[in-house]
Amino acid sequence: MSNEAKKYYIPVDGTLVEVSEEVYRTYYQPIWAARYHAQKNGECTCTKAQLWKCDGVCPGCPFYAAGRKVSTSTVIGGENDELTLEDTLVDDAPSTESILMDAELLKALYAELDRLDPEGKRICELFMQGHSEREAADLMGMARSTFKRHWAKIQSELYESLKEFYF
């Protein structure tokens, strides 16, 4: 190699632009990591000669291959290549205990709703159908203030009878 300093290039709008080694490494580091993991998983067939075309986004790339099936233990990067796909997933499934508690609450709520007078049941039905206070009052043919008083009484009764589920 000659005494000339090595030149580094990155693509900008499809044209290679000369940059410092620091900029070059900063630009290519995540791309190299993505390419490494894609090649390790059999998803990338890109050659080193084509590296300058690589942007680290494999789907849609002409060198993209289906590769092997990905499991939750597939390493996807991170510090020291320790981050797996499983580490990024959130288990938002309800616990058995919370399902049973919700079922008990629902059972108790239905029992309390059955004890309401017809007017109270109708008010609850209108809210369950998505009507606003104003709409429900109009549908029931009562003043909004009267409706609000009835609704407050129903809420108080339901809260009192179901408070064991909240404390």
Side-chain angles (χ1 to χ4, degrees):
M1 188 166 164
S2 66
N3 291 341
E4 289 182 31
K6 186 167 181 175
K7 295 183 180 183
Y8 297 93
Y9 300 91
I10 63 170
V12 176
D13 297 328
T15 305
L16 291 179
V17 175
E18 188 174 347
V19 294
S20 68
E21 181 178 0
E22 181 182 359
V23 170
Y24 174 83
R25 292 193 180 283
T26 302
Y27 177 82
Y28 275 110
Q29 199 66 41
I31 293 171
W32 291 335
R35 188 166 151 245
Y36 169 79
H37 291 293
Q39 285 182 333
K40 188 174 169 183
N41 292 323
E43 298 167 349
C44 179
T45 60
C46 186
T47 63
K48 284 188 178 186
Q50 300 297 322
L51 174 63
W52 69 274
K53 291 181 180 178
C54 185
D55 61 2
V57 181
C58 294
C61 174
F63 299 104
Y64 179 71
R68 63 179 184 222
K69 295 198 183 286
V70 176
S71 74
T72 56
S73 59
T74 299
V75 176
I76 59 173
E79 199 169 296
N80 299 323
D81 294 334
E82 295 172 357
L83 184 65
T84 65
L85 185 58
E86 186 173 23
D87 296 331
T88 65
L89 300 175
V90 176
D91 183 12
D92 57 355
S95 68
T96 304
E97 181 182 346
S98 70
I99 292 171
L100 292 173
M101 288 177 64
D102 287 348
E104 285 298 313
L105 173 59
L106 197 55
K107 183 177 169 184
L109 179 59
Y110 278 128
E112 290 304 315
L113 289 173
D114 281 342
R115 289 191 186 104
L116 292 175
D117 60 15
E119 187 176 78
K121 285 182 184 179
R122 180 69 179 139
I123 289 171
C124 290
E125 285 173 4
L126 291 171
F127 277 121
M128 287 189 291
Q129 292 170 358
H131 293 285
S132 67
E133 252 181 32
R134 184 180 308 268
E135 292 169 337
D138 288 344
L139 288 169
M140 292 196 64
M142 61 175 69
R144 189 165 174 215
S145 59
T146 304
F147 180 87
K148 287 176 81 162
R149 193 172 58 252
H150 284 294
W151 176 232
K153 181 180 176 215
I154 293 167
Q155 285 177 306
S156 176
E157 289 172 5
L158 290 175
Y159 177 77
E160 189 60 36
S161 60
L162 300 172
K163 68 180 175 185
E164 68 188 75
F165 290 96
Y166 300 104
F167 300 106

